[in-house]
């Protein structure tokens, strides 16, 4: 995958995955990919995350990236684990410049116009709107996006199967991020594949 937009367009939903047991990583990735969700964001919220990224990378068709990357050290650890893209809950100049220097597709989090302008100063035009519902939902994103016609977004945080189509109907939204397709704990593989199929079929 060459750029973040290409990755964002692989499916309408990017699963946001918290792995607490590395043994769950491959079966979960296989189920998600089989259901039509190839782009998998593994959050760095657990000690198992980096090993999970390495394991999921072995699943044919999977595009595996790291989420909740908050600093340059975590970025480098994620890249060493094989991450194909990086997602951050926010944006600092240091992290943004490090991602650009490494040439990795990067989706930084934004919640206001200042965040977007900081990203534009760095040459970035694709952003994670986070936390989407707590930050004002779709009306807030529409208001934020209006002055920045070149920008595209992936809302994450409070997005679910019921409200995802409304987000996806907004032309500035390329995809949504959601944890509902990959719940924490012992994975129900058949259920995850079923939820992935449902999510992959969403449209605005």
């Amino acid at each position: 995958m060459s750029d973040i937009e290409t990755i964002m367009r692989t499916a309408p939903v990017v699963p946001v995955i918290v792995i607490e047991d590395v043994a769950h990583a491959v079966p979960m990735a296989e189920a998600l990919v089989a259901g039509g969700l190839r782009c998998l964001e593994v959050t760095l919220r657990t000690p198992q995350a980096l090993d999970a990224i390495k394991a999921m990378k072995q699943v044919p068709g999977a595009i595996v990236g790291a989420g909740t990357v908050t600093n340059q050290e975590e970025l480098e650890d994620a890249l060493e684990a094989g991450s194909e893209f990086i997602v951050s809950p926010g944006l600092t100049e240091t992290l943004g410049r490090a991602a650009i220097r490494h040439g990795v597709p990067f989706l930084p989090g934004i919640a206001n116009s200042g965040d977007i302008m900081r990203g534009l100063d760095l040459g970035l035009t694709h952003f994670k709107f986070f936390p989407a519902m707590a930050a004002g939902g779709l009306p807030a994103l529409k208001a934020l996006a209006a002055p920045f016609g070149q920008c595209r977004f992936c809302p994450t945080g409070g997005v679910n199967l019921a409200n995802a189509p409304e987000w996806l109907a907004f032309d500035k939204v390329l995809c949504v991020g959601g944890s509902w397709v990959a719940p924490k704990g012992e994975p129900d593989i058949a259920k995850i594949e079923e939820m992935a199929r449902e999510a992959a079929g969403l449209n605005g």
Side-chain angles (χ1 to χ4, degrees):
M1 288 292 155
S2 58
D3 59 67
I4 195 65
E5 178 158 348
T6 303
I7 290 170
M8 291 169 71
R9 287 187 180 278
T10 58
V13 178
V14 176
V16 179
I17 306 165
V18 178
I19 294 290
E20 297 171 327
D21 184 342
V22 176
H24 298 159
V26 168
M28 184 177 288
E30 289 174 339
L32 290 166
V33 171
L37 302 182
R38 298 176 54 220
C39 180
L40 312 178
E41 177 191 336
V42 180
T43 73
L44 301 188
R45 297 183 186 182
T46 67
Q48 297 80 14
L50 294 174
D51 287 336
I53 290 169
K54 292 175 185 176
M56 287 181 168
K57 286 264 302 169
Q58 308 309 310
V59 175
I63 304 163
V64 186
T68 323
V69 175
T70 62
N71 56 54
Q72 186 172 339
E73 182 181 358
E74 290 176 350
L75 170 70
E76 291 170 355
D77 288 344
L79 293 176
E80 188 175 343
S83 296
E84 296 173 78
F85 62 94
I86 299 293
V87 182
S88 175
L91 175 61
T92 66
E93 185 173 344
T94 300
L95 180 59
R97 290 195 183 284
I100 292 166
R101 186 170 64 253
H102 283 286
V104 61
F106 179 48
L107 189 68
I110 59 90
N112 57 56
S113 57
D115 293 339
I116 295 173
M117 291 167 68
R118 188 181 311 116
L120 291 173
D121 282 348
L122 292 169
L124 304 170
T125 57
H126 291 66
F127 303 99
K128 168 181 174 175
F129 178 48
F130 177 82
M133 293 304 292
L138 184 55
L141 180 58
K142 286 183 174 180
L144 276 175
F148 305 109
Q150 70 272 54
C151 297
R152 297 296 180 269
F153 302 91
C154 176
T156 306
V159 180
N160 55 45
L161 181 64
N163 64 26
E166 186 178 5
W167 287 101
L168 292 165
F170 181 37
D171 63 353
K172 305 298 186 186
V173 169
L174 294 182
C175 63
V176 298
S179 58
W180 84 88
V181 290
K184 290 193 293 185
E186 184 79 29
D188 180 337
I189 298 305
K191 181 65 174 174
I192 289 172
E193 184 174 339
E194 178 186 338
M195 290 188 294
R197 286 189 195 285
E198 200 168 23
L202 289 174
N203 52 54

